Amino acid sequence: MAAKVHEKEFEVLPVAWAKLNDALGHVAAVVSRLKQYPDFDRMSEPQLREFVATCTLAEFQKEQLLLVINKLQYYSEAVFWQQLAEAKGRVAEFHNYIILNRIFMSSDLRDRFTEIDDILRAALSDAEIGQRGMSEELTSRALAAVRQQVDSKLAEIEALVQKRLHYDEAS
């Protein structure tokens, strides 16, 4: 019976790690201060239409983008909400995976995964509230949480997973 539990743990930990890093990447994209957007003012009308036709905005947003005067502001706002929704979905996948498979994790690993889950969800919440209220403080707090708190937790999880999977013995 113990062998089956360890076998399941060997399956769960790499997937949890992958889902964590996927969620983290999406959250980092949302809270990052450095974002690149097209220079709409330098685009010709045909370039603008081609860009709009191929971008990921919803059709009504594409139509609106062609009409608004401040295209950069409209586009960056629309992309933020799109990225936020995607990040929330990835964090939810990670969260649900941890909840469903926590029984197959040691308590120290389960605690670290849960701590990062809490940090990621709080960062998204801060970013969303910051965007709605245009609060630079909340947006900065979200970025700081991801940078400072998650990095140390990732290193702890990596060491714990390697220990649980007997990484040193595999060399």
Side-chain angles (χ1 to χ4, degrees), residues 27-134:
V27 171
V30 169
V31 302
S32 174
R33 289 183 191 215
L34 182 61
K35 298 181 186 220
Q36 293 184 340
Y37 299 108
D39 188 351
F40 294 107
D41 294 335
R42 293 185 182 218
M43 287 183 179
S44 66
E45 187 67 25
Q47 288 173 319
L48 176 61
R49 292 201 175 281
E50 184 175 333
F51 173 81
V52 169
T54 60
C55 77
T56 61
L57 298 180
E59 288 304 314
F60 78 91
Q61 291 172 313
K62 290 178 180 183
E63 292 170 16
Q64 191 66 33
L65 180 59
L66 290 171
L67 299 173
V68 298
I69 293 172
N70 191 337
K71 291 176 182 6
L72 177 59
Q73 180 181 358
Y74 182 85
Y75 181 77
S76 63
E77 180 83 8
V79 166
F80 172 83
W81 295 111
Q82 207 174 41
Q83 288 179 331
L84 180 67
E86 182 67 21
K88 282 182 171 183
R90 300 299 174 99
V91 170
E93 285 178 31
F94 169 63
H95 174 81
N96 292 336
Y97 190 82
I98 296 304
I99 296 296
L100 290 172
N101 292 287
R102 61 187 287 136
I103 194 167
F104 302 110
M105 295 180 189
S106 62
S107 61
D108 49 356
L109 272 169
R110 181 178 59 241
D111 291 347
R112 296 313 180 295
F113 276 117
T114 301
E115 288 168 2
I116 290 182
D117 178 42
D118 291 342
I119 293 165
L120 294 179
R121 290 188 294 132
L124 287 179
S125 178
D126 285 349
E128 180 175 6
I129 294 167
Q131 184 75 12
R132 287 189 192 283
M134 302 308 259

Side-chain angles (χ1 to χ4, degrees), residues 2-16 97 104-105 161-167 169:
K4 288 281 188 197
V5 170
H6 287 296
E7 185 179 313
K8 184 66 175 175
E9 180 184 35
F10 288 171
E11 293 172 23
V12 165
L13 291 178
V15 174
Y97 190 82
F104 302 110
M105 295 180 189
V161 167
Q162 288 179 347
K163 181 179 174 185
R164 293 293 300 160
L165 299 179
H166 305 288
Y167 184 78
E169 294 173 13

